[in-house]
């Protein structure tokens, strides 16, 4: 770096501190935006440009620092004139600007004009600025870089220009064949175009130019290839158990099945059964929309494992779900398998019995919450771990479960249909099975958004349906995870519903109730002894009561889309025509309100998830702490999801056609060649 003009020891150090040690690092330090300085706006036109960023070129008429009496902040003000008019530029708490900007200076500034408090005059707060020097060519597309220490932008661009002069030396780690496979341009060409775009075409601004495609694809492809190669070369993980599926087992499975499997269920079951018989442990994500019938698939997988002499753990996020799974399994398997429950509310005695039963292998299937993960729990031979509704579990918890067996097969199930792109970024090494078909005879759920003022008509409708034998959920927005659960809205809602429906049997349920109380309520609801269940989102996942056909969600605008979809999935499980009625809060923000309207029109869970993800971003969508999403420097999973899929297919193709060794060599070359991929995971 010191060979570059304008880089003395001081700047070299500053660059190094920013991770820019070599010319190559510089080349991969991309602008975060561009200014088309060929077309500055006119101050006289700013009135029409309020709230959108503009570029101005002009002269400083006056400049001065003062202390704002209101906010007690130091402010620096510049009166700026471009010949068509004047506008005030304001910076807060940057008093040193007084030494840098003075009257008579010519500046290019970039910022957002806003109407100020003072008589509605226009001003621009904290704009980016740069001095225009005498004789400087005007009218170029200028790349704007994040600031590196105190190096002025113009000086930085001069340094970058020298790096770009040597772009011919930039080695392309991607062989031509791979480039052709991915359909991307050469690296030098791409990098140069990103620093010096000849035009700011719409495609370029959307990161969809050939240059962007090259850089993003390289990053994604490297990530996918590395994951695939790692998985293909793992040695330690060979399983010792041998799984066979004979006719007796087939007959037994047939006998327990209460219905015919759908085509999609059969397909994923085959995928799972094949995995179980493989040498390497299964690591598979089973996705299926709410109600698509994942449980039975998991259960058959469990039977296969158990009949081959190994144990199975089924992990669920709530005690209610554990109970439901437990009951259903007992009903289906009818004592032919020894099943136990594990929950946090076990007594010491129950805990000991459970521990002993799992250790000596007497218990063949354990259904439980995270209580299964307790240290004292060990298995004689855990062959299969099934995690239901995995979005509720952190990576660490899953890891714990995995360590309870000798390379157990792992099946992760989720009904938050994680968009495929995100699933690939989260678990590029998980195989994906998708149930994309609902069991036959399902009722289409009618979804409707209603204003709070229309609630009485909703109640009347619900009452008529109850008279016809239907059951109803009423959900209030209370955050279950919060430690200090504020139940007031729920208990008020409960009273309100009781008053409104004096002749009906109304019950309440929330996450802080004792688990036996919850279970009892659930059982009574299932038996039809409760007409209206007033609840929090504790009923969000997995609950299956076929006779419940109306879901009323209060203040629906406060829920995320995927959550609404989960709630909606609680109805439409039986013969009855079903309804999901979203009550919009009268104070709902316009965008929240628009979301509800969109939801009303969308019934496919994957589509809902895609939109939810686009609205909230991966962190929020998955719950930030447990997202485990790979972070990329150039690629963006939301923006570039199609590229992630393409990269994965290409990575699989390369391994198949060229073999693992060649793929491994290519991975190393790609990884070593550029500071281009961040694969850090939570
Ligand atoms: P989810 O995928 O949401 O976990 P479940 O496994 O709870 O869905 O199944 C939803 C409901 O559909 C259950 O009542 C289940 O018994 C039923 N079901 C599952 N598969 C079929 C099928 N092939 N035919 C009919 N009903 C089915
Ligand atoms: Mg389920």
């Amino acid at each position: 770096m010191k060979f570059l003009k304008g880089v003395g020891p001081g700047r070299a150090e500053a660059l190094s501190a920013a991770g820019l040690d070599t010319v190559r690092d510089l080349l991969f330090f991309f602008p975060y935006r561009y200014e088309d300085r060929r077309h500055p706006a006119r101050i006289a036109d700013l009135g029409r440009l309020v709230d959108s960023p503009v570029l101005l070129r002009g002269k400083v008429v006056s400049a001065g620092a003062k202390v704002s009496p209101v906010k007690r902040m130091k402010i620096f003000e510049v009166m700026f004139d471009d010949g068509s008019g004047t506008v005030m530029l304001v910076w807060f708490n940057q008093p040193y600007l007084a030494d840098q900007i003075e009257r008579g200076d010519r500046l290019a500034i970039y910022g957002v004009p806003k109407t100020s408090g003072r008589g509605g005059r226009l001003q621009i707060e904290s704009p980016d600025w740069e001095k225009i020097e005498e004789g400087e060519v005007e009218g170029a597309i200028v790349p704007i870089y994040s600031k590196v220490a105190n190096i002025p932008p113009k000086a930085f661009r001069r340094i970058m220009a020298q790096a770009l002069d040597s772009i011919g030396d930039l080695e392309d780690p991607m062989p031509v064949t791979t480039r052709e496979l991915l359909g991307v341009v050469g690296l030098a060409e791409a990098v140069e175009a990103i620093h010096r775009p000849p035009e700011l075409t719409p495609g370029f601004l959307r990161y969809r130019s050939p240059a962007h495609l090259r850089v993003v694809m390289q990053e994604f492809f490297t990530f996918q290839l590395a994951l695939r190669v790692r998985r293909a070369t793992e040695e330690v993980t060979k399983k010792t158990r041998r799984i066979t599926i004979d006719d007796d087992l087939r007959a037994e499975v047939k006998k327990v099945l209460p219905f015919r499997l759908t085509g999609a269920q059969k397909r994923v079951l085959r995928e799972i059964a094949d995995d179980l018989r493989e040498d390497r442990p299964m690591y598979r994500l089973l996705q299926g929309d709410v109600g698509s019938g994942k449980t039975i698939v998991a259960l058959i997988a469990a039977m296969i494992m158990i009949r081959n002499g190994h144990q199975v753990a089924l992990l669920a996020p709530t005690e209610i779900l554990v109970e439901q799974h437990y009951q259903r399994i007992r009903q289906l398997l009818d004592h032919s398998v020894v099943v136990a429950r594990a929950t946090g509310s076990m007594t010491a005695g129950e805990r000991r019995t459970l521990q002993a039963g799992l250790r000596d292998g007497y218990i063949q299937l354990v259904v439980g919450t995270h209580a299964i993960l307790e240290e004292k729990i060990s298995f004689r031979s855990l062959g299969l771990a099934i995690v239901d509704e995995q979005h509720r579990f952190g990576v660490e918890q899953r890891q714990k479960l995995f360590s309870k067996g000798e390379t157990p097969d792992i099946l992760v199930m989720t009904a938050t249909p994680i968009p495929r792109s995100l699933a690939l970024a989260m678990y590029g090494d998980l195989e994906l099975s998708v149930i994309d078909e609902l069991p036959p005879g399902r009722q289409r759920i009618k979804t409707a958004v209603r204003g709070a003022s229309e609630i009485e008509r909703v109640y009347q409708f619900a009452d008529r349906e109850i008279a016809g034998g239907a059951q109803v959920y009423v959900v209030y927005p209370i955050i279950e995870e919060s430690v200090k659960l504020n139940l007031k809205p729920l208990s008020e809602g409960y009273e309100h519903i009781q008053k409104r429906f004096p002749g009906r049997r109304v019950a309440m349920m929330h996450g802080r109730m004792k688990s036996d109380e919850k279970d009892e309520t659930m059982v009574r609801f299932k038996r039809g002894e409760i007409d209206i269940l007033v609840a929090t989102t504790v009923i969000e996942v997995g609950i299956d009561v076929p006779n419940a056909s109306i879901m009323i969600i209060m203040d629906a605008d406060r829920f995320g889309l995927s959550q609404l979809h989960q709630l909606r999935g609680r109805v439409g499980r039986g013969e009855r025509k079903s309804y999901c009625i979203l009550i919009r809060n009268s104070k709902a923000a316009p965008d929240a309100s628009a979301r509800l309207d969109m939801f009303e029109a969308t019934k496919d869970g994957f589509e809902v998830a895609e939109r939810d993800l686009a609205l909230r971003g991966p962190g929020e969508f998955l719950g930030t702490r447990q997202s485990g999403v790979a972070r990329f420097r150039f690629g963006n999973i939301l923006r570039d999801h199609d590229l992630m899929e393409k990269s994965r297919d290409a990575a699989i193709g390369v391994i198949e056609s060229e073999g693992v060794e060649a793929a491994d060599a290519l991975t190393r070359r790609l990884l070593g060649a550029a500071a281009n991929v961040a694969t850090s995971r939570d």
Side-chain angles (χ1 to χ4, degrees), residues 156-176:
F156 188 82
R157 282 202 298 273
R158 266 196 297 261
I159 296 168
M160 187 61 90
Q162 295 172 67
L164 284 165
D165 285 343
S166 66
I167 188 106
D169 300 339
L170 184 67
E171 192 206 336
D172 192 335
M174 218 184 249
V176 178

Side-chain angles (χ1 to χ4, degrees), residues 176-350:
V176 178
T177 47
T178 314
R179 252 186 273 166
E180 278 169 1
L181 179 72
L182 297 174
V184 295
V185 300
L187 188 59
E189 185 187 332
V191 170
E192 176 154 34
I194 287 175
H195 290 283
R196 292 175 171 159
E199 266 313 319
L200 294 179
T201 61
F204 188 87
L205 293 172
R206 282 186 297 110
Y207 295 85
R208 272 297 182 271
S209 69
H212 291 103
L213 291 187
R214 162 65 207 242
V215 172
V216 174
M217 283 292 269
Q218 173 160 340
E219 191 171 37
F220 284 178
F221 175 73
T222 306
F223 171 70
Q224 290 291 344
L225 195 64
L227 283 176
R228 293 265 138 197
V229 167
R230 190 178 72 194
R231 202 154 147 68
T233 50
E234 265 166 355
E235 299 246 340
V236 277
T237 52
K238 285 257 162 79
K239 299 186 286 202
T240 49
R241 55 180 175 275
R242 286 284 156 269
I243 301 298
T244 55
I245 301 173
D246 58 18
D247 288 342
D248 286 351
L249 182 51
R250 283 200 186 86
E252 190 186 350
V253 168
K254 237 187 207 130
K255 224 179 69 204
V256 304
L257 271 184
F259 36 64
R260 288 168 64 122
L261 295 180
T262 62
Q265 283 172 319
K266 281 189 194 149
R267 191 190 62 239
V268 302
L269 192 56
R270 215 170 299 129
E271 290 166 354
I272 293 168
D274 286 347
D275 279 2
L276 295 181
R277 284 180 289 199
E278 283 273 330
D279 284 357
R280 67 177 41 255
M282 170 166 76
Y283 194 33
R284 189 171 280 278
L285 180 68
L286 176 57
Q287 285 198 314
D289 206 344
V290 198
S292 61
K294 294 181 292 292
T295 318
I296 193 77
V297 171
L299 209 55
I300 296 171
M303 280 180 71
I304 295 173
M305 188 56 66
I306 290 165
R307 290 300 177 243
N308 278 275
H310 304 279
Q311 293 163 292
V312 176
L314 171 55
L315 198 55
T318 64
E319 296 200 359
I320 298 178
L321 264 193
V322 168
E323 190 55 32
Q324 180 179 294
H325 277 312
Y326 179 75
Q327 297 302 344
R328 195 186 295 161
I329 290 168
R330 291 282 298 257
Q331 205 182 352
L332 286 175
L333 301 187
D334 192 25
H335 303 292
S336 60
V337 166
V338 182
V339 191
R341 271 169 300 191
T343 65
S345 47
M346 288 180 291
T347 63
E350 286 169 337

